[in-house]
Amino acid sequence: MVSNGFIMKKRSRNSIKEHIERLTQIGIALSSTKDVNEFFTLILSEAISYTNADAGTLYLTSSDKKSLEFQVIYNGTMHIPMKVIDKSYGWKPVNLYVEEEKNLKNMVSYVYHTKSPMMIEDVYFQDLFDSSGTKAYDAANGYRSKSMLAIPMKNHEDAVLGVIQLINAMDDDGKVIAFDAQGSSHLMSLTSQAGILLTNRQLIDGLETLLQDFLRSIAKAIEHDSKYTSGHISRVARLTEMLADTMNNDDEYYPDVHFTEDELKEISMAGWMHDIGKITTPPHIRDKSKKLETIIDRITIVKARHQAIKLGLKLKHTRGELDDVSYLAELKKLNDAMAFIQTSNAGGEFITPEAKARLEEIHKNRYQFDDETISLIDENELRNLQIPKGTLLPEEREKIQEHAKVTWEMLSSITFPAKYHNVPLFAASHHEQLSGKGYPFGLKNSQIPLKARIIAVADIFEALSAKDRPYRAQSTLSQALRIMTFFVKDYSIDKDIFFLFLDSGLYMEYARKFMDPEQIDDVNIDAVKAACQPGK
Ligand SMILES: [Fe+2]
Ligand SMILES: [Fe+2]
């Protein structure tokens, strides 16, 4: 007997109550299940247990909506436990169309197209569907498929997300019987509940993915735009994730820290977002690698001036305005000054008070050619060359530091999902220092969230170990770790996070992934840790 749909029997008040209770329970279980495979396994288990079926399959509609793919299977008699079928099984999906026509000869495909449940008392004795495949399978496996029930899994828009097929309902003695309408009705309630939950989840996941992809693409754009710090944000994000994972499994420094999956995602997202404010930092400041650099390195202008002065001196000599001795002395003085400027222009050069005075003197030295007075370096170039450490003028440093505040402003204007609402704070606090001397908020000690401190350690270590910074010589692993000890000692970064980084061996794991082999030298961890003690 073939029965399309089912007839609602008049059920007792008690069974309806039980039915609702069971649905409520399964609804709660389904909505709290994070893993999507667990979700489907739970649905099939409930379907099998409620109908006392011997076997069952949960199919999912393929993304191109052309087939139904195996997702979860179970067969009691054949001792096949409930298991998820992934692509590695190579099982052929059920085609929903045959030569562009709806495939109505297959039971699950039929249910997909009609969007209604279908029951069969004995699959061998019906002519609606092609049972040759079932018979062949049974013959090969010593099984006898008899009663069948297939239910569509629909969402609120009536789209079929998948189909559940159950085989051989059994009575209490294990005898195969027909499925009944009550089971079918229960399963329809179950599958529609599951369909809606699944769609909601897909929508939420979709929005989360969209948000993450969008923010990451901005981070990538900033990286792309920066000629020297490409990869900085991705590497910091990766190291942040690695540190958070390590902290989660650590019993020594952080025995009480147990980040949830959502928290780990939140930390990762904050890592990706930490420098998003750099989008407003002018590239010539962000990438200023020489003291004289603006849009171009102005050393080229100084060099041109040097050549012009040289020609002027030569002309004066030819005209007899300068004698041989004075000409050679002037030439030497000029060349020495040029060489000194070139050395001073390097980002790593520390400008001593003596060097500062010498540059001042070079600037004051004027050359007179006809009606033109010329100096090797002008006022602005002098000021830049006199930058004592690094390449940045105070106002440029301020502009760069502004990025943390901009990160905060940009991210706090986005409505993050509630579970990620702290992403703006964690991301924007990566330049805060335990001493309170950091920025943009000037937070101190425990005011700085642990998740922001993780990013701070990752950010500094990446900057010290990166191979592409133009303003300093490339550090080896041991040198980078040694410099980190100064940050610990002056109370900038969290010592425990740094020690965890060392003791867990994460520093080496990171180095092997992201540093050049020639940067990786021997590291004495005990010595690095000892150097973190005050007074060392
Ligand atoms: Fe930053
Ligand atoms: Fe950074």
Side-chain angles (χ1 to χ4, degrees), residues 5-11 16 19 181-186 188-189:
F6 50 86
I7 305 151
M8 286 289 284
K9 280 184 194 162
K10 201 167 183 291
R11 257 173 259 128
I16 291 174
H19 171 69
Q182 188 178 336
S184 177
S185 157
H186 174 80
M188 275 303 276
S189 315

Side-chain angles (χ1 to χ4, degrees), residues 232 236 274-275 278 430-431 459:
H232 167 73
V236 170
H274 81 283
D275 273 342
K278 282 189 180 167
H430 69 279
H431 287 295
D459 190 40

Side-chain angles (χ1 to χ4, degrees), residues 92-343:
K92 275 183 76 177
V94 175
N95 290 326
L96 289 170
Y97 299 89
V98 178
E99 289 168 358
E100 303 198 4
E101 294 289 320
K102 287 179 182 174
N103 178 5
L104 299 175
K105 277 289 167 191
N106 180 289
M107 186 179 182
V108 287
S109 171
Y110 179 90
V111 165
Y112 173 89
H113 289 298
T114 57
K115 301 183 178 185
S116 301
M118 167 63 75
M119 282 193 281
I120 298 175
E121 206 170 303
D122 191 333
V123 67
Y124 283 29
F125 297 98
Q126 51 80 36
D127 52 13
L128 195 57
F129 305 117
D130 176 9
S131 58
S132 58
T134 308
K135 284 177 181 165
Y137 177 86
D138 285 358
N141 293 284
Y143 193 70
R144 168 67 163 95
S145 301
K146 196 175 178 195
S147 58
M148 284 189 179
L149 167 64
I151 308 269
M153 211 160 65
K154 295 189 285 187
N155 68 7
H156 59 292
E157 289 171 334
D158 210 35
V160 182
L161 307 175
V163 175
I164 294 176
Q165 185 181 38
L166 300 169
I167 303 171
N168 291 355
M170 292 184 299
D171 65 12
D172 293 344
D173 302 323
K175 196 174 147 244
V176 175
I177 54 168
F179 286 92
D180 68 12
Q182 188 178 336
S184 177
S185 157
H186 174 80
L187 292 192
M188 275 303 276
S189 315
L190 171 77
T191 53
S192 67
Q193 187 173 211
I196 290 165
L197 282 172
L198 191 64
T199 302
N200 282 348
R201 180 176 302 201
Q202 282 167 344
L203 287 173
I204 293 166
D205 287 352
L207 280 177
E208 253 178 50
T209 311
L210 177 75
L211 176 69
Q212 277 193 15
D213 289 351
F214 179 64
L215 294 176
R216 279 184 193 196
S217 75
I218 296 177
K220 288 273 180 201
I222 296 168
E223 283 190 339
H224 187 73
D225 196 33
S226 171
K227 55 181 172 177
Y228 296 126
T229 55
S230 65
H232 167 73
I233 297 175
S234 334
R235 284 192 294 265
V236 170
R238 191 66 202 102
L239 182 52
T240 297
E241 289 163 0
M242 289 161 101
L243 274 166
D245 276 337
T246 308
M247 197 176 273
N248 241 10
N249 299 308
D250 168 69
D251 292 330
E252 194 182 346
Y253 297 103
Y254 295 95
D256 300 327
V257 169
H258 305 288
F259 295 130
T260 62
E261 221 173 282
D262 285 340
E263 282 180 296
L264 289 172
K265 274 195 199 164
E266 183 182 41
I267 300 170
S268 160
M269 218 185 274
W272 273 100
M273 295 303 97
H274 81 283
D275 273 342
I276 199 164
K278 282 189 180 167
I279 205 160
T280 61
T281 313
H284 67 276
I285 298 181
R286 189 177 61 212
D287 294 333
K288 190 176 177 191
S289 63
K290 299 278 168 60
K291 292 185 205 279
L292 282 177
E293 191 169 327
T294 51
I295 302 288
I296 53 148
D297 183 356
R298 283 174 294 171
I299 195 72
T300 50
I301 298 173
V302 181
K303 277 181 183 168
R305 231 180 266 139
H306 172 238
Q307 289 304 322
I309 297 171
K310 249 164 74 173
L311 277 175
L313 291 173
K314 196 174 172 190
L315 201 64
K316 274 190 171 184
H317 179 237
T318 318
R319 285 188 198 150
E321 293 166 26
L322 272 177
D323 61 30
D324 288 354
V325 176
S326 311
Y327 172 60
L328 289 175
E330 280 295 338
L331 213 52
K332 183 177 183 314
K333 194 172 155 193
L334 177 70
N335 289 340
D336 286 352
M338 187 63 221
F340 187 68
I341 289 167
Q342 267 183 299
T343 315

Side-chain angles (χ1 to χ4, degrees), residues 358-366 374-380 382:
R358 169 106 202 261
L359 288 163
E360 186 89 47
E361 194 187 300
I362 293 172
H363 165 63
K364 279 189 183 148
N365 190 22
R366 306 291 149 104
I374 178 169
S375 167
L376 192 53
I377 47 172
D378 67 20
E379 191 79 41
N380 185 285
L382 171 70

Side-chain angles (χ1 to χ4, degrees), residues 283 287 352 460 463 472 490 500 522:
D287 294 333
T352 61
I460 295 178
R472 56 159 176 73
D490 76 3
L500 176 70
D522 285 338

